């Protein structure tokens, strides 16, 4: 069956089976081109799609999905979802929905001949090699993703949108004498034509070159300047503490702290799914709740968790429209474009500039918010960067870090992970560094 | 899943289009996940993944397409897209004219489940999860327990223009318990997550109650632990998941994915001493029922036991087809991928440091002050610089040769080749543990392992 036929079939069968059902149809198109050594190394062109079911039977919630759209597979998914619901203790309902319209958030953003995209990857890879210190280029690459999503439920929700993004990725090894550094970085945008391989290569090389000749860092407590991408990557961990689902499951340290000051008053955190150039903007969430900006932390005060209909009901709070679900997973909560609001001028005095954190999935605990992370950085003295530092780890707790923020710059930049996270450079009064 | 006739049509069309080599990888995977929280089944999810990937080689250039449409039309359409992208559409190469002679490889069932999923109903599984949860309720400080079961039944078919036609049904089961302990504002976690290439006999191999208790004990230990000290110390790394250190610090550096591009600090070092003489490091894809074992790799080649380092000397790399073409090293059955949405690359399977001749307690003797990293979390490495980091999930201070108070939040950081040379002793108590390893071709199940290992110094990231 086509996705359209499958949609009709599953909704009809769900009604016949007496189920409340919500169907999420997703179609992804992916193109990635990797160049290496001046030649095309790998080109990947792909389509993938499936239907995810959330059903309510006997007042309980169950899930199933299938990528195979045969009648047999769809029947299997419906029966599994029903069986899962009947066994489950999770009470729930499919929220009442309404027509949400059909939206195009991508437009002609990815419209360009394949050849132009191939050239983008090749010229990025070539430009990365234009520095004698670059010892090896693992790849220069281009990728784009187009997503079509449709939501439909037996309770009246009906909406669809199309979105996507494009990006350049580079990975290379740079060296000077014995000192080696590997870079793995990417820049994303909503439009192919806005990408600039030459400029991206220059930026990636410069960012890595300044880390060469790194010296060990003496163990101690220093002021830290977290560069935008480093701070943004910490927001990914922090976002879990803001998740209404984590709170509902007793896994957020912020439970019971609404209205309290949890951060320096320089810290304002906003999730905005309506951001015009937002990499992951969306017109509605995975349950069909229309999107709107949410201020999570305002001048240091914790304003709200991010909620879907289920977590909002469980905690007796307002649904912020942050339901997240792929067709292959259960209902969750997640930000779209979460960022730390830019401040003003930030001058370096002394301490360590942290350019990158590594090993976030292992070194930061999303429940306790304790972290101990390998990092790369630069030593700053008397307002000037003196040399790079390496082989050290930074430790602390993310809530303590937020409280110790003493400066917020204006150079907002984004990283794309499970959501888009943005931050300007942030100065933190003191962090614990372990090194030589 | 797919008929030989259809495979032949697709592969021959690829050759006719000018490809030097073509491969079809088809997959149908059924997955089930059940999550119990607070004595209740909260998330129950079933799923069916279904798709195929087509990979073509033009010399060492690779083009790859995947689709959920496994009809002849669907596969040919995906193929034509690739040929068009490559600019060879419409060309006809006479190599496509001959017949393909498939050598069909029947699975031997080396890792086949003893208790298949169909033998028990979902209620049986729920009861086991409830046992795991109750096993974790050993103290009032245990505030939250999450017990989950993952069932993963993957049918794969791999056919290529060299006549390979391999099928395998891979069944993997994992039980995972997360315990959250709280005392005032202090919150700490503990995990346990045994998994094997088995069916529901996993519950016999790892009684759920004991798994729950293990997670809870770790959470309680971390709750009373002080922040880890910061600095450079001798470290004894515990057995089992402790092997993740060398997985990150060494294993990834021996994959042709980075070796072929000279982007690994261990490129071009065959025959050289790269580790202390106590180190023998093996990647074995054939261990019966191990989490990372398969009969054939995702390129249809029988998996092997590959000795990577013997007595400190580098003996072999992990080599997939593309890596073989690029380097000339023989293939080691190491081509792996998460699923049909990824082209395979060289990956680890079950990688471990072989047991040595010391008793574990001998490793602690003579350490004035150091860290015992008993259980590990995950980690990460940059092969080009060798820089790695990994988290200690359960750690203790070693003082005058004795294991003393627990510490938490320790992160080990360093450079792989340096750490390897600093391995000074290996004990005789080897075990492996399962994990998911993420890299270019997605997340694949692997085991990591080792006996107790003493490293003379590692930077420990704790609180200064």
């Amino acid at each position: 069956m086509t996705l359209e036929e499958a949609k009709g079939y599953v909704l009809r069968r769900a009604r016949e089976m007496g189920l409340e059902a919500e169907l999420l149809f997703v179609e992804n198109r992916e193109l990635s081109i990797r160049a290496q050594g001046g030649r095309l190394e790998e080109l990947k062109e792909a389509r993938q799609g499936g239907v995810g079911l959330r059903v309510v039977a006997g007042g309980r919630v169950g899930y199933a999905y299938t990528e195979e759209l045969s009648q047999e597979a769809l029947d299997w998914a419906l029966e599994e979802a029903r069986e899962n619901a009947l066994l489950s203790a999770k009470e729930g309902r499919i929220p009442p929905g309404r027509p949400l319209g059909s939206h195009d958030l991508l437009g002609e953003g990815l419209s360009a001949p394949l050849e132009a995209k191939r050239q983008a990857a090749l010229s990025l890879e070539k430009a990365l090699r234009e520095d004698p210190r670059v010892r090896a280029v693992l790849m220069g690459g281009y990728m784009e993703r187009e997503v079509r999503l449709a939501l439909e439920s037996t309770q009246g929700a009906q909406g669809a949108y199309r979105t996507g993004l494009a990006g350049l990725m580079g990975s290379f090894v740079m060296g000077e004498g014995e000192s080696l550094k590997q870079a793995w970085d990417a820049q994303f945008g909503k439009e192919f034509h806005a990408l600039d391989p030459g400029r991206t290569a220059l930026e990636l090389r410069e960012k890595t070159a300044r880390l060469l000749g790194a010296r060990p860092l003496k163990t101690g407590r220093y002021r830290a300047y977290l560069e935008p991408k480093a701070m943004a990557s910490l927001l990914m961990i922090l976002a879990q503490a803001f998740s209404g689902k984590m709170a509902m499951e007793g896994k957020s340290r912020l439970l019971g702290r609404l209205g309290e000051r949890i951060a320096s008053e320089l810290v304002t955190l906003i999730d905005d799914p309506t951001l015009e150039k937002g990499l992951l903007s969306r017109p509605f969430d995975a349950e069909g709740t229309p999107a709107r900006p949410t201020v999570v932390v305002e001048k240091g005060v914790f304003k709200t968790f991010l909620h879907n209909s289920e977590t909002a009901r469980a905690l007796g709070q307002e649904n912020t429209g942050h339901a997240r679900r792929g067709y292959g997973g259960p209902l969750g909560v997640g930000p779209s474009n979460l960022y730390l609001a830019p401040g003003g001028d930030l001058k370096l005095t002394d301490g360590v500039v942290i350019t990158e954190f590594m090993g976030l999935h292992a070194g930061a605990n999303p429940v306790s918010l304790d972290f101990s992370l390998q990092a790369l950085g630069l030593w700053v003295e008397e307002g000037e960067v003196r040399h790079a530092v390496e082989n050290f780890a930074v430790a602390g707790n993310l809530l303590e870090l937020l409280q110790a923020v003493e400066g917020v710059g204006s150079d907002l930049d984004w990283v794309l992970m499970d959501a888009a996270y943005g931050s300007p450079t942030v100065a933190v009064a003191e962090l614990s560094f372990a090194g030589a | 899943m797919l008929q030989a006739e259809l495979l032949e049509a697709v592969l021959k069309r690829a050759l006719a289009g000018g490809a030097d080599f073509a491969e079809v990888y088809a997959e149908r995977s059924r997955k089930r996940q059940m999550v119990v929280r607070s004595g209740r089944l909260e998330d129950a999810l079933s799923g069916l993944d279904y798709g195929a990937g087509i990979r073509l080689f033009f010399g060492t250039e690779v083009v790859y397409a995947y689709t959920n449409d496994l009809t002849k039309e669907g596969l040919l359409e995906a193929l034509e897209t690739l040929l068009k992208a490559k600019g060879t559409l419409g060309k006809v190469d006479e190599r496509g004219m001959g017949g393909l002679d498939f050598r069909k490889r029947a699975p031997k069932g080396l890792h086949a489940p003893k208790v298949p999923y169909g033998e028990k109903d979902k209620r049986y599984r729920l009861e086991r999860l409830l046992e795991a949860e109750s096993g974790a309720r050993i103290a009032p400080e245990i505030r939250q327990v999450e017990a989950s079961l993952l069932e993963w039944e993957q049918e794969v078919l791999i056919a290529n223009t060299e006549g390979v036609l391999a099928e395998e049904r891979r069944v993997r089961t994992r039980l995972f318990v997360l315990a959250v302990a709280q005392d005032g504002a202090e919150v700490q976690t503990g995990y346990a997550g045994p998994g094997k290439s088995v069916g529901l006999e996993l519950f016999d191999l790892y009684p759920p109650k004991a798994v729950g208790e293990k997670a809870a004990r770790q959470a309680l230990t971390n709750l009373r632990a002080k922040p880890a000290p910061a600095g450079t110390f001798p470290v004894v790394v515990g057995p089992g998941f402790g092997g993740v250190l060398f997985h990150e610090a060494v294993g990834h550096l021996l994959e042709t994915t980075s070796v072929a591009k000279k982007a690994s600090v261990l490129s071009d070092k065959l025959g050289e001493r790269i580790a202390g003489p106590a180190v023998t490091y093996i990647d074995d894809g054939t261990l019966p029922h191990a989490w990372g074992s398969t009969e054939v790799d995702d390129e249809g080649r029988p998996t092997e036991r590959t000795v990577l380092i013997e007595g400190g000397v580098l003996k072999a790399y992990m080599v997939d087809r593309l890596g073989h073409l690029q380097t000339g090293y023989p293939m080691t059955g190491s081509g792996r991928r998460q699923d049909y949405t990824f082209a395979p690359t060289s990956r680890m399977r079950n990688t471990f440091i072989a047991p040595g001749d010391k008793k574990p307690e001998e490793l602690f003797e003579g350490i004035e002050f150091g860290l015992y990293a008993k259980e590990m979390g995950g980690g990460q490495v940059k092969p080009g610089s060798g820089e790695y980091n990994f988290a200690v999930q359960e750690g203790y201070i070693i003082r005058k040769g004795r294991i003393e108070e627990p510490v938490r939040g320790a992160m080990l950081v360093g450079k792989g080749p340096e750490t390897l040379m600093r391995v000074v002793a290996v004990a005789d108590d080897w075990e492996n543990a399962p994990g998911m390893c993420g890299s270019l071709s997605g997340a694949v199940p692997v085991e990591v392992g080792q006996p107790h290992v003493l490293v003379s110094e590692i930077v420990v990231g704790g609180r200064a």
Side-chain angles (χ1 to χ4, degrees):
Chain A
M1 287 185 215
T2 63
L3 271 177
E4 204 53 41
E5 288 163 352
K7 193 191 296 185
Y9 178 77
V10 176
L11 273 178
R12 192 173 70 245
R13 281 291 299 141
R15 287 200 177 94
E16 284 166 12
M17 290 164 76
L19 300 170
E20 278 183 31
E22 178 187 79
L23 278 53
L24 190 67
F25 291 86
V26 181
E27 259 186 305
N28 291 308
R29 185 183 62 78
E30 182 198 334
L31 172 68
S32 74
I33 302 170
R34 294 207 312 253
Q36 205 253 332
R39 296 185 317 143
L40 179 77
E41 180 192 49
E42 188 187 290
L43 180 145
K44 190 158 143 180
E45 157 93 49
R47 284 169 197 282
Q48 183 187 29
V51 48
L53 273 72
R54 177 165 67 134
V55 309
V56 176
R60 315 284 157 135
V61 185
Y63 297 93
Y65 73 90
T66 176
E67 293 179 343
E68 186 178 351
L69 299 182
S70 64
Q71 186 176 330
E72 188 195 350
L74 293 169
D75 285 340
W76 176 83
L78 268 163
E79 189 48 47
E80 282 280 326
R82 195 182 70 97
E83 200 182 299
N84 287 340
L86 291 174
L87 194 67
S88 173
K90 162 91 59 79
E91 290 169 13
R93 55 186 197 142
I94 304 299
R98 59 180 176 81
L100 296 156
S102 188
H103 309 257
D104 187 353
L105 280 61
L106 184 60
E108 297 299 308
L110 303 178
S111 298
L114 181 65
E115 187 50 33
K117 295 168 181 174
R118 186 152 59 175
Q119 283 309 323
L122 285 165
S123 43
L124 175 69
E125 198 267 346
K126 181 161 175 287
L128 285 176
R129 281 185 277 127
E130 282 166 3
D131 186 316
R133 292 168 298 182
V134 172
R135 301 266 172 96
V137 175
L138 279 81
M139 67 125 159
Y142 168 77
M143 71 81 73
E144 68 182 33
R145 197 167 69 202
E146 179 182 344
V147 182
R148 288 169 190 273
L149 181 146
L151 182 78
E152 212 157 322
S153 79
T154 54
Q155 312 310 108
Q158 187 177 18
Y161 64 87
R162 169 177 174 265
T163 184
L165 51 82
L168 292 170
M169 297 159 302
S171 178
F172 57 96
V173 179
M174 223 172 191
E176 208 168 50
E178 292 290 294
S179 174
L180 289 175
K181 289 291 161 205
Q182 179 171 357
W184 190 172
D185 208 340
Q187 290 187 347
F188 295 98
K190 299 288 288 180
E191 283 173 31
F192 171 75
H193 289 290
L195 301 176
D196 182 342
R199 201 185 61 213
T200 298
L202 189 67
E203 282 174 21
L204 297 190
R205 288 196 326 245
E206 279 179 356
K207 274 169 71 177
T208 306
R210 64 192 176 142
L211 299 171
L212 293 171
R215 305 180 195 170
L217 178 70
K218 213 165 143 37
T219 297
R221 300 184 69 87
Y222 307 109
R223 173 176 289 118
Y225 301 94
L226 278 56
E227 287 198 342
K229 286 192 175 187
M231 182 63 199
S233 66
L234 294 184
L235 292 183
M236 175 181 70
I237 308 297
L238 210 50
Q240 304 214 45
F242 299 136
S243 154
K245 187 163 200 273
M246 293 286 275
M248 183 180 82
E249 292 166 5
K251 293 192 292 202
S252 171
R253 284 186 74 154
L254 295 176
L255 192 59
R257 299 190 60 185
L258 280 178
E260 281 182 34
R261 177 176 297 280
I262 60 159
S264 146
E265 64 176 15
L266 298 172
V267 175
T268 292
L269 286 163
I270 301 165
D271 184 69
D272 189 355
T274 67
L275 214 57
E276 199 193 325
K277 295 266 174 192
L279 291 173
L280 295 183
S281 290
R282 47 172 172 72
F284 51 84
D285 74 358
E287 291 183 297
T289 307
R292 59 181 164 83
T294 301
V295 180
V296 181
V297 174
E298 188 173 19
K299 293 183 177 164
V301 177
F302 181 40
K303 305 298 275 188
T304 181
F305 286 104
L306 300 178
H307 282 301
N308 60 34
S309 73
E310 198 175 280
T311 65
R313 199 171 58 243
L315 294 181
Q317 294 164 9
E318 194 190 342
N319 182 3
T320 58
H322 283 93
R324 177 191 286 180
R325 181 155 95 87
Y327 64 80
L331 184 70
V333 163
S336 54
N337 308 301
L338 179 68
Y339 67 100
L340 198 151
D345 257 5
L346 184 64
K347 288 210 166 46
L348 306 185
T349 54
D350 55 85
V352 181
V353 175
I354 295 173
T355 60
E356 181 184 349
F357 286 112
M358 288 174 275
L360 280 154
H361 64 294
N365 186 319
V367 179
S368 68
L369 299 180
D370 286 340
F371 65 91
S372 179
L373 295 165
Q374 184 180 18
L376 295 174
L378 306 165
W379 179 253
V380 182
E381 242 176 76
E382 294 164 355
E384 275 175 43
V385 171
R386 291 289 159 87
H387 55 83
V389 283
E390 66 175 4
N391 241 16
F392 66 92
V394 190
N397 182 278
L398 287 176
L399 289 178
E400 288 167 22
L401 182 148
L402 286 185
Q403 268 153 3
V405 169
E406 57 176 16
V408 173
S410 55
D411 49 344
L412 179 68
D413 198 3
W414 296 84
V415 295
L416 183 66
M417 290 182 286
D418 63 315
Y421 298 94
S423 176
T425 301
V426 167
V428 179
E430 197 180 64
L431 283 178
S432 170
F433 290 77
Chain B
M1 224 175 320
L2 296 174
Q3 300 299 316
E5 189 192 344
L6 165 58
L7 293 165
E8 190 171 340
V10 173
L11 293 173
K12 283 172 69 177
R13 175 68 192 96
L15 289 182
D20 299 313
F21 169 84
E23 169 194 81
V24 175
Y25 169 95
E27 171 182 7
R28 180 188 271 122
S29 286
R30 273 171 210 250
K31 291 177 187 163
R32 283 205 184 103
Q33 193 186 2
M34 295 171 79
V35 183
V36 163
R37 268 179 227 110
S38 311
R40 295 151 38 102
L41 179 67
E42 293 231 326
D43 284 330
L45 175 73
S46 309
L48 181 64
D49 293 342
Y50 182 67
I54 298 173
R55 182 167 67 144
L56 310 182
F57 281 33
F58 297 85
T60 55
E61 284 188 26
V62 177
V63 293
Y64 189 75
Y66 61 83
T67 175
N68 303 119
D69 184 352
L70 271 60
T71 62
K72 185 171 183 178
E73 295 70 37
L75 292 174
L76 285 174
E77 189 193 325
L79 176 63
E80 297 304 328
T81 311
L82 286 183
L83 294 175
K84 192 172 147 206
K86 187 63 191 123
T88 62
L89 192 67
K91 289 183 195 165
V92 176
D93 192 310
E94 73 254 29
R95 284 173 307 164
M97 298 297 128
L100 270 177
D101 191 11
F102 284 124
R103 294 180 308 280
K104 199 164 177 172
R105 187 183 188 284
K108 298 194 181 95
L110 296 178
H111 314 291
K114 295 193 176 62
V115 183
Y117 294 143
E119 229 166 74
K120 306 278 184 187
D121 64 9
K122 286 186 179 170
R123 187 153 298 279
Y124 170 84
R125 296 154 161 86
L126 176 56
E127 283 160 8
R128 300 290 82 72
L129 287 175
L130 292 172
E131 281 172 20
E133 150 140 24
S134 73
R137 299 279 177 191
I138 53 173
E141 290 85 4
I142 300 292
R143 294 296 164 83
Q144 183 64 255
V145 181
E146 189 173 289
S148 50
L149 176 68
L150 179 71
E151 297 177 9
W152 182 9
E153 191 175 1
Q154 183 191 40
E155 285 174 70
V156 298
L157 177 155
I158 304 130
N160 70 30
T161 48
E162 290 177 357
V164 165
L165 177 53
E167 287 184 77
E168 185 175 6
R169 187 163 155 271
R170 302 165 179 168
V171 177
R172 292 189 174 94
T173 307
R174 192 167 188 192
L175 171 64
F176 197 83
V177 180
L178 163 70
V180 181
Q182 189 175 5
D183 186 2
E186 201 54 61
V187 181
Q188 290 297 326
T189 53
Y191 306 91
K196 301 284 268 183
S197 288
V198 298
L200 295 173
E201 70 266 34
L202 185 82
F203 296 129
D204 304 323
L205 298 168
Y206 300 92
K209 213 174 168 68
V211 175
E213 189 178 329
K214 187 177 176 195
R217 292 219 176 276
Q218 194 177 75
L220 292 171
T221 299
N222 283 332
L223 194 61
R224 64 186 170 87
K226 297 197 191 81
T232 302
F233 312 116
V235 176
V236 175
V237 184
F241 203 68
V244 74
L245 169 59
F246 293 96
H247 169 100
E248 298 297 341
V250 186
H252 279 295
L253 277 50
L254 298 177
E255 296 166 339
T256 46
T257 309
S258 49
V259 169
K261 296 173 189 166
K262 316 284 183 215
S264 159
V265 285
L266 294 178
S267 302
D268 299 323
K269 292 209 183 311
L270 279 184
E272 291 181 31
R273 172 166 302 283
I274 60 164
V279 178
T280 289
Y281 197 45
I282 298 168
D283 181 50
D284 190 346
T286 70
L287 289 177
H289 298 285
W291 181 243
S293 290
T294 55
E295 287 193 30
V296 292
D297 73 357
D298 294 326
E299 300 184 317
R301 213 182 153 77
T303 47
E304 294 173 16
R305 174 186 164 93
T306 311
V307 177
L308 302 168
I309 300 173
E310 194 170 11
V313 177
L314 181 62
K315 293 292 185 183
Y317 294 105
M318 288 167 275
V319 188
D320 64 335
R321 173 174 289 274
L322 180 63
H324 164 70
L325 284 178
Q326 290 168 331
T327 63
Y329 299 135
M331 283 186 261
T332 54
S334 302
R336 302 190 68 192
R337 55 181 123 199
Q338 175 180 312
D339 54 36
Y340 66 86
T341 67
F342 291 88
T345 54
S346 57
R347 301 293 295 270
M348 284 174 266
R349 300 158 303 202
N350 308 295
T351 319
F352 55 92
I353 293 182
D357 52 6
K358 296 260 193 307
K359 293 285 156 215
E361 47 286 6
E362 292 176 56
L363 270 51
F364 293 85
E365 286 167 10
I367 297 179
E368 193 60 27
F369 185 85
L371 180 75
Y372 175 32
K374 189 178 175 207
E375 291 282 345
M376 293 302 155
Q380 195 189 36
V381 68
K382 294 189 167 191
S385 59
E387 290 171 298
Y388 71 80
N389 61 74
F390 79 116
V392 178
Q393 173 63 22
E394 185 179 338
Y396 300 83
I397 293 294
I398 306 170
R399 210 175 272 114
K400 296 192 190 324
R402 295 164 59 99
I403 301 167
E404 298 199 332
E405 74 274 16
V407 289
R408 63 180 153 83
M411 169 67 68
L412 306 188
V413 312
K415 293 182 179 172
E418 292 174 7
T419 303
L420 255 184
M421 295 303 283
R422 290 176 184 149
V423 172
V424 288
V426 176
D428 59 4
D429 56 342
W430 166 51
E431 41 179 282
N432 273 8
M436 295 301 290
C437 166
S439 182
L440 213 51
S441 60
V444 299
V446 297
E447 282 189 2
V448 299
Q450 63 172 49
H452 276 91
V453 165
L454 169 61
V455 183
S456 58
E457 56 171 86
I458 302 185
V459 172
V460 177
R463 296 247 187 159

